[in-house]
Amino acid sequence: MELGAGRARVWSWAASDAEADARRREADELVGERIRSVRYFSLDYRRSEMPPELIDAGPRTVVDASEWTDPTWLCDGFDTTDYGFEIATDSGAVFSLTWDPPGHQEGIGLQPVPMLGSGVRGDADVAIWEVDGRSPSWTSMVGTTVTGIELHYEPWAEGTGAPLWCPRITIHGGAARVEVIMGDRADGRLVPSADNIAVLHPGTPLPAWCTPGP
């Protein structure tokens, strides 16, 4: 995804340990903040079902109760969102988590910026879902102070000096935690993905393709 001419989004990929540590420091700005709300940013699958005169182009916040009866992101054991999500805190700070464009620079990253205009174009036809307590992943986290962030960096290839990518991020809040991975659903199952975010529900184990080796 390009956000501007000649400027690709790179939030995860790190050419060195020092660069990975710099990304960790950015993410650590969320530590100590109290989560006020969480918003998922997804393709607006139901936009075509709505009367054109009742909806403008660009981002759309989901408010209709009928849509909330069957959220497009809710799956058995996990949530899935096409672009990523945004965390707003009591202090007014905003943090976003999204993926790097697939190819030779994949991964997910967390930065202290809003999604619109950074993780996704500001004029994109996206659906914004304020999930908060409506998702099992966030019920215990909203209203909680973040106590830690783990960016699980791994070498992209074998060999000393190989670039690093981050396929998993863990957010801690007291006794609760949220596991975020690169994943999507297929026939209701969790599957790997290079351009989609999966947020595991409490009790859902990390998939074998995401679990670090011994």
Side-chain angles (χ1 to χ4, degrees):
M1 178 182 299
E2 296 285 344
L3 299 182
R7 185 167 64 93
R9 183 179 70 226
V10 180
W11 285 24
S12 170
W13 190 259
S16 64
D17 288 334
E19 191 170 348
D21 287 342
R23 299 200 187 282
R24 289 188 177 101
R25 287 194 294 273
E26 284 184 325
D28 280 345
E29 293 182 31
L30 180 55
V31 176
E33 295 277 356
R34 186 172 181 268
I35 297 177
R36 186 181 75 239
S37 64
V38 179
R39 303 181 189 95
Y40 287 172
F41 288 71
S42 292
L43 294 169
D44 197 351
Y45 297 98
R46 295 171 179 161
R47 183 177 290 253
S48 62
E49 302 171 10
M50 299 181 178
E53 66 274 12
L54 297 182
I55 186 168
D56 296 324
R60 179 179 71 90
T61 299
V62 176
V63 295
D64 194 285
S66 64
E67 288 191 81
W68 279 104
T69 60
D70 184 24
T72 59
W73 46 265
L74 184 60
C75 307
D76 185 13
F78 62 99
D79 300 337
T80 180
T81 178
D82 301 287
Y83 297 108
F85 60 81
E86 180 181 271
I87 295 173
T89 73
D90 280 355
S91 72
V94 177
F95 294 79
S96 297
L97 190 152
T98 190
W99 41 265
D100 287 349
H104 296 294
Q105 297 186 349
E106 296 177 8
I108 53 177
L110 177 69
Q111 292 192 5
V113 295
M115 277 289 290
L116 290 177
S118 54
V120 64
R121 291 195 327 269
D123 61 351
D125 289 343
V126 296
I128 304 173
W129 302 76
E130 191 159 316
V131 299
D132 294 0
R134 304 177 196 238
S135 163
S137 295
W138 298 102
T139 299
S140 298
M141 287 291 286
V142 172
T144 299
T145 298
V146 176
T147 55
I149 303 284
E150 294 180 82
L151 274 58
H152 300 275
Y153 270 98
E154 302 175 4
W156 179 254
E158 294 184 3
T160 303
L164 303 167
W165 69 308
C166 180
R168 176 166 69 101
I169 294 176
T170 307
I171 303 172
H172 296 272
R177 73 176 185 183
V178 174
E179 294 284 2
V180 186
I181 65 175
M182 302 174 72
D184 202 350
R185 63 178 164 192
D187 298 323
R189 297 180 300 105
L190 178 62
V191 296
S193 175
D195 58 0
N196 208 88
I197 302 292
V199 186
L200 305 186
H201 294 171
T204 298
L206 286 170
W209 42 266
C210 190
T211 304

